[in-house]
Structures are given as C-alpha cells and as structure tokens.
Amino acid sequence: MTKPGQTTAMGVPELAEGYPEVSAPFGEALVNVGRQNPKVIGLTADLGKYTDILSFAAAFPERYFNVGMAEQNLIGIAAGLARTGFVPFCTTYCVFATRRAYDFIAIGCALSRTNVKIIAGLPGLTTGYGGTHQGIEDLALMRAMPNLTVIDPCDATEIAQATAVIADYDGPVYMRLLRGRVPVVLDPVTYRFEIGKARLLRKGTDVAFISTGLMTQRTLEAAAQLANDGVSAAVLHVSTLKPFDREAVLSLIERVPRVITAENHVTTGGLASAVADAATDAGLRLRLKRVGIPDCFCECGSLPYLAKRYQMDTASIVAAARTVLEEEPVLPAAVA
Amino acid sequence: MLPTHSLQPHPIADIPRLQRAARKLRRHMLTMAAGKGQGYIGQGLGFADILAALYFHEMKHDPQNPGWEDRDRFILSTGHYSIALWAALVEIGVLSADELAQYGADGSRLEMSTLDSTPGVEMTGGSLGHGLGQGVGMALGLRLAGKSSRVFVELSDGELQEGSTWEAAMAAAHFKLDGLVAVIDCNSIQADGPIVLNIEPVAEKWRAFGWLTTEIDGNNMQQIIAALHAVRRETDQPKAIVARTVPGKGVPCIERCEKAHFLNVTHIDWEDAIRELEAQHD
Ligand SMILES: Cc1ncc(C[n+]2csc(CCOP(=O)(O)OP(=O)(O)O)c2C)c(N)n1
Ligand SMILES: [Mg+2]
C-alpha cells in the first residue's frame, strides 16, 4: 500500500536508490549539442516540463517550439524541419509518440529517412499512472519499423552520450528517456555508447543476463547477489534494440547458453524476441527465461509495488536465474 | 460571455441546493487530496460546480443501477480529473465515502486517472483527445437504439489542441447529433503552464464547426443551469458549452497557488483548507 502522503503518478526517485544521480541528463546533453550545432531544434507537445527539455528552451529560446498537445503534428513539424536541414529533437511520452503518432513516424520519418530524433519519456513501469501512460509495447512497435534506430538507455551516463551520438547520426531515431534525477550506473570515463553495439559489463560462465534500458541496473545487482552464492553471471547490456548487435549476443550465448533476458517492456516483440530470433536464425540452442512485463496492461501504483507485482525487480531476476540454472543442460541439436 | 439576459435561470432549479452540492464535492476532493503532496486538486475544484449541476440537476441516472441503459452518459475525457468524478460518484452514492482515503493508493479503484472498471465511469481516460470521439459513437448508438438519453462530454482546453477532437466535432455536426453536449472546461492551463498554444477564439471555432454554442462562467451556478437549459432545445445540432473556470475555485488557499497543472501543495494546511471551504456561503 502507498503510505498516506505519497502519490504514485509522477517521478522516478524510487529507481535511483544507492547510486549517485544526475539531474535531467538529457536536457544538459542537448544544451551541449545545441551549442556545437546551430541546426539542432527542440520541440515538445506540452510536455517540456516533464521531459527535461526546459534547459534547452532556456539556452536557445529561438530554437525551441512547444506545439501544444498535438503529437501527430509534433512529428509532422519535425519531419518538415528535417527536410529543411535542421536536426529536430522532439519530446513526448513513449505512449503518445508510438500509439498516437505511429503513422506519422512511419511515413514522415522512417520511410523518408528524415533526420528526426524522437525522445520518449515514461518507458515501461517508470510511471504509476496506469495503462494510458506506461509505454509497455513501444520497443516492439518501433523495432518493427524499417529504417528506424531504437535505443533504450540504462542511466544518466548513457543518455548523455547517446544524445550527442544521435545528434551526429543522420537518420531517424527513437530513444527512450529517463527523466528527472537519473542514477549513474555506468562509469562515464570507461563506458562508450555506440549505435548498434552491445557491451559486456560483467563476465560470467554460469548464466548470461542480456538486458536493456534501466533493467541493466537490476541485472548488475542480480549478478552481484548471485556471485555471493558462487554463481558466475555475465551481463550483456544491449541499449540499441535496432540495429541489433547479433554478433555480441550470439558469441555470449555460445559460451553461456543459460540466458535471462530483462527488459522494461512486454516480453514479446522487444529484447527477448530479438535474442530468440538471433539464436534461432543461427541454429543455436539455449535455455531462455524472459523477465519483463507479461501480456497485460498494468495497474496504477507506486513504482516498487509495480516492479514487484509484475516480477521486474532484482529479486525476480535472481529467481529467474536460479530456475534456469536448475534446468537440464542444453543438448546439441538432434541430427535428423 | 453571453449577455446575461439570454441566460435565464432554469425555473425549477434550486440554485442554493446545487451550490451546497458543489461544496460537498469540493469537501470530498479535499479529503482525497489531504496529506498528499501534489495532485489534480486544482482542476477538480474548478470543475465542481459543473459536475454538481450535471449529477444533481440535469442528467437522468440511477445510483442504484449505474449501468441503467436509459441513463444519460457523462464522459470525463480528461482522466486526470478523476478526483472530481470520484467526489460526484461518492456524493450520489455509487461509491462509498470510506474509499476516498484510498485515492491514488496501490490497489485502489479510485485511480489517479479514470478506468472504466470502476462503477460509474463511462470511459477509460488518461490519454487525451479520446472523449469526444467516443461521445459521438455513444450518441449515434443511443439514437440507433431509439433512446432519448443524452451524452455529456467534458473536454479540457488542452484537448482542443488534439486533432482528434476536431475530427469528432466535425462528425457530430455532420450526423446531427442533437443529444450530444460538449462541456469544455477552459481553465487556462495545461501541462507546461498557462495555455502554450493559442486556442482562441474557442466559442467561434465550435460555432464554425456547426455546434450550438454558449459561453459561460463555469463557476457561476446560475449561468451553468441556464446554459444547460438552453442546450435542451431541440435543434438538429450538437451543443457546446464553453465554460471558463478557475483552478482551485472555492478554496482560496489553493486558488492562490501557482496556476500549475500538477499542483505542488506540500505547503498547504489541509485543516485550514477545509475550514476555508466551509466558511463559504455563496
Ligand atoms: C494524448 C496525450 N498527450 C499528452 C498527455 C500528457 N498530458 C496530461 S495532462 C496534459 C495537459 C492537457 O491540457 P489540460 O487537460 O487543459 O490540462 P489541465 O487543465 O489539467 O492542466 C498533458 C499534455 C496526455 N495525457 N495525453
Ligand atoms: Mg486546462
């Protein structure tokens, strides 16, 4: 139960426990990008306050446009700006970008390969506001769209780096946003974000965690907990869902065929599906457990309540690893 | 604003009774918000007078049987105004007052945003720009079924920026849905603060779309009742009431807060707020 005095709809502070935090890493990074590139434009659909873009608005008022609550038009305007040589970054929530403006993204951005960056807040269970606001199937929708680059960053370090990288990349991008006070999980000195590259954050031989977005915070925690019990767990962080780093994924599965995928998203059409597709296509056999949102719209509620309810918390990841460890070893494919 | 002479009070409306009802709705809203640091209390208080007029005067409904098929429908298009709808549903007896404290709590059916699984809720809200389209469908469906029930749709000023609202507005006039009444809550704010993209002139837009339109002070019970009376007229047009409201209305300490969409009210003494409300005698 929520404590009296606690509201559940907004904010992600519960995600940040135990890590240093950075405030509005996307907005700060966009200001830097805007300084270097005068073609960068900031756009929002009445969610400037809630998508961390206000620092850009303050730094470059003449390059910032709030188009009102009109997501289809947001994408249309961005595509038009891109066609005149600008680099529009537009912000809204995952649900409104993908569900409402899907056709506009498909035609105006992806099919035409216009240089539009869509930055989408409230991915998965980062809001307690219920089914209308939780972006639970956006990765599946966006991954299915040709020509689009799809990114689900883990933390403040990755958001800042990815913002700079996608500004330099010429083509349409959909990136999930973590907003407000965002934890720093990846070391900004050693970590290097590249489009289409997965990163092995931890070596291991018994089980392999393959995770994306904020779930990598939790797979790292799960791996550390398992290590205390003598279980060696690898963590591969796949922040670009498309293009998908098949090579890194396959080489890990070959070595460690007991796999747990973890994503802040339904377990169909996102990371788990991408991993299963890659393994099947390559003829690799594996034991796979999928941690993620089951096939349902989720309740309203506080974030820890939701993470537990839908088995997305660290404890559920550890439990999934133990289940996979108990299963029969993977046999080589039967010869027909 | 319409000239006042065209807004004759409804002959049998008991204005003081409706004002008392609105005050009770506000009281329930304060109970829900009390102790919570933030929320949509501003919108709820601003819309309380209109809700009281709808539920205690204008609409036919049966609290014993919220699914009564001959009822008038009320669609709350802005799911985030749920605090106002919960207050009305408690006051008419569809929900119990004991539940108020559970507003927004884990597992509660008094969600921060409406779900149609809660009794008395006609449509799941939260994603804005859905209400009028579903209202058009309900009005068409009721007409096809030969029912005289009307459909009241609350919309916000922010929702006037969504294209879907105008797609529905055009369809309603085309299909001559005279039993459809849109009540547009113009409270002058949206998520990023004061209206960020000009929507005026609001009433003229609805008229241009073929709607019979009146514009009122949405916190003035006389004017609300008069407007509701005026749109009972049988024309072959859908009806629009453009209501100018004040966020936080009726509770001065909340009215004085910054006009913000998601009000941060950590500094409010809720006991004082309740006393302020109860001291009002309109
Ligand atoms: C389609 C859609 N886009 C964006 C949002 C996010 N959002 C929630 S409320 C809101 C403001 C809408 O204006 P209005 O309803 O007038 O706000 P209020 O008066 O309550 O401040 C926005 C943009 C949403 N819920 N739905
Ligand atoms: Mg408004």
Side-chain angles (χ1 to χ4, degrees):
Chain A
M1 280 301 188
T2 321
K3 287 186 250 96
Q6 192 176 346
T7 50
T8 56
M10 300 280 177
V12 278
E14 294 104 310
L15 294 172
E17 261 161 43
Y19 295 100
E21 292 165 353
V22 170
S23 187
F26 163 68
E28 294 313 309
L30 195 63
V31 169
N32 289 334
V33 162
R35 272 198 203 105
Q36 283 151 29
N37 184 351
K39 295 284 189 189
V40 167
I41 305 279
L43 293 167
T44 190
D46 191 24
L47 286 172
K49 256 192 202 174
Y50 299 100
T51 55
D52 290 352
I53 200 174
L54 290 188
S55 43
F56 182 89
F60 307 105
E62 73 293 351
R63 283 197 261 153
Y64 174 73
F65 301 92
N66 192 335
V67 305
M69 187 172 63
E71 294 77 13
Q72 298 178 342
N73 202 31
L74 173 75
I75 302 297
I77 291 174
L81 280 163
R83 286 182 188 280
T84 52
F86 288 93
V87 186
F89 275 72
C90 29
T91 71
T92 177
Y93 292 159
C94 299
V95 284
F96 307 129
T98 60
R99 294 176 185 168
R100 184 143 317 177
Y102 197 69
D103 181 47
F104 292 75
I105 296 174
I107 310 308
C109 307
L111 198 159
S112 330
R113 289 185 194 271
T114 52
N115 197 14
V116 173
K117 319 301 171 188
I118 300 156
I119 310 299
L122 304 190
L125 297 183
T126 55
T127 172
Y129 212 72
T132 58
H133 280 60
Q134 292 154 345
I136 60 171
E137 83 293 14
D138 59 322
L139 296 178
L141 288 167
M142 291 293 140
R143 211 168 65 84
M145 197 181 282
N147 297 347
L148 200 61
T149 292
V150 182
I151 301 168
D152 187 8
C154 161
D155 74 338
T157 300
E158 189 156 51
I159 286 173
Q161 293 187 8
T163 300
V165 168
I166 64 177
D168 285 339
Y169 164 79
D170 184 15
V173 175
Y174 175 83
M175 181 167 90
R176 280 177 151 196
L177 171 73
L178 301 172
R179 70 178 186 190
R181 290 184 292 115
V182 180
V184 179
V185 177
L186 304 169
D187 180 351
V189 179
T190 56
Y191 185 78
R192 181 109 314 354
F193 169 82
E194 268 181 89
I195 293 175
K197 284 277 178 281
R199 297 285 182 222
L200 191 66
L201 299 180
R202 185 180 175 120
K203 292 187 180 146
T205 49
D206 298 328
V207 288
F209 289 123
I210 302 178
S211 53
T212 186
L214 65 85
M215 294 303 276
T216 293
Q217 301 167 20
R218 300 180 196 168
T219 52
L220 285 169
E221 284 162 17
Q225 287 182 21
L226 287 163
N228 292 337
D229 298 338
V231 175
S232 162
V235 176
L236 182 69
H237 174 53
V238 187
S239 49
T240 314
L241 276 297
K242 188 176 190 170
F244 191 63
D245 191 347
R246 292 164 48 95
E247 230 168 86
V249 168
L250 293 177
S251 93
L252 177 61
I253 298 176
E254 253 167 0
R255 284 177 283 124
V256 189
R258 296 175 190 272
V259 175
I260 297 97
T261 56
E263 60 200 305
N264 180 25
H265 185 265
V266 289
T267 53
T268 43
L271 176 68
S273 296
V275 168
D277 284 357
T280 311
D281 291 352
L284 286 185
R285 306 195 49 170
L286 74 161
R287 295 281 173 206
L288 176 65
K289 280 271 164 295
R290 305 167 184 232
V291 172
I293 299 165
D295 185 21
C296 67
F297 289 101
C298 300
E299 278 180 28
C300 300
S302 59
L303 301 183
Y305 167 80
L306 293 174
K308 205 162 166 211
R309 168 115 177 63
Y310 297 102
Q311 303 190 352
M312 303 267 290
D313 55 352
T314 304
S316 302
I317 296 172
V318 171
R322 296 206 190 283
T323 318
V324 169
L325 279 166
E326 278 163 19
E327 287 177 352
E328 295 293 313
V330 177
L331 301 172
V335 182
Chain B
M1 303 280 153
L2 273 188
T4 39
H5 65 261
S6 69
L7 289 175
Q8 295 305 317
H10 187 256
I12 57 165
D14 180 348
I15 299 290
R17 181 183 72 92
L18 293 172
Q19 286 168 335
R20 279 196 301 278
R23 198 147 53 231
K24 283 190 187 147
L25 300 194
R26 291 190 164 97
R27 179 71 175 79
H28 291 322
M29 294 182 217
L30 291 180
T31 303
M32 280 180 266
K36 308 214 168 62
Q38 43 191 357
Y40 298 108
I41 183 74
Q43 288 90 328
L45 294 171
F47 198 61
D49 298 301
I50 291 167
L51 264 189
L54 286 171
Y55 276 93
F56 292 93
H57 176 72
E58 190 65 17
M59 293 201 304
K60 34 171 205 187
H61 60 94
D62 177 5
Q64 305 306 313
N65 179 13
W68 177 41
E69 55 177 47
D70 287 333
R71 71 191 182 281
D72 289 336
R73 277 28 174 209
F74 174 69
I75 295 179
L76 185 78
S77 187
T78 51
H80 63 282
Y81 281 34
S82 69
I83 191 168
L85 187 57
W86 305 143
L89 292 173
V90 163
E91 192 54 29
I92 64 172
V94 168
L95 299 175
S96 137
D98 301 339
E99 284 185 65
L100 290 172
Q102 288 299 309
Y103 167 63
D106 293 347
S108 167
R109 57 180 190 169
L110 270 55
E111 313 277 23
M112 295 281 280
S113 184
T114 51
L115 283 178
D116 61 9
S117 48
T118 304
V121 178
E122 301 283 0
M123 188 194 90
T124 293
S127 177
L128 297 173
H130 286 247
L132 198 59
Q134 292 206 27
V136 168
M138 282 187 198
L140 264 177
L142 290 165
R143 188 167 78 186
L144 280 171
K147 297 200 182 298
S148 62
S149 312
R150 290 188 293 165
V151 179
F152 295 85
V153 182
E154 172 269 353
L155 300 174
S156 67
D157 40 9
E159 284 189 291
L160 301 184
Q161 294 162 347
E162 286 288 355
S164 58
T165 297
W166 299 105
E167 294 171 25
M170 195 180 282
H174 180 82
F175 296 125
K176 301 185 170 35
L177 296 175
D178 62 347
L180 179 65
V181 181
V183 182
I184 302 127
D185 180 37
C186 292
N187 65 359
S188 306
I189 55 170
Q190 61 183 119
D192 275 335
I195 293 293
V196 299
L197 189 89
N198 182 28
I199 55 172
E200 300 294 342
V202 174
E204 284 171 42
K205 287 189 173 68
W206 290 89
R207 286 193 191 106
F209 270 70
W211 291 56
L212 181 74
T213 306
T214 62
E215 183 164 357
I216 58 167
D217 172 350
N219 295 120
N220 178 316
M221 194 58 82
Q222 298 267 4
Q223 290 192 28
I224 296 167
I225 294 302
L228 288 171
H229 187 61
V231 300
R232 284 186 188 178
R233 242 169 54 198
E234 291 195 14
T235 64
D236 59 2
Q237 290 172 288
K239 321 293 190 311
I241 299 173
V242 177
R244 306 287 174 177
T245 62
V246 175
K249 184 73 188 182
V251 182
C253 65
I254 296 180
E255 231 177 283
R256 278 193 303 274
C257 289
E258 185 203 356
K259 295 284 176 277
H261 167 76
F262 201 74
L263 204 58
N264 191 335
V265 281
T266 35
H267 59 284
I268 286 212
D269 180 331
W270 293 96
E271 298 297 315
D272 278 354
I274 290 166
R275 270 191 293 278
E276 276 192 352
L277 173 70
E278 296 192 330
Q280 310 245 328
H281 294 286
D282 307 337

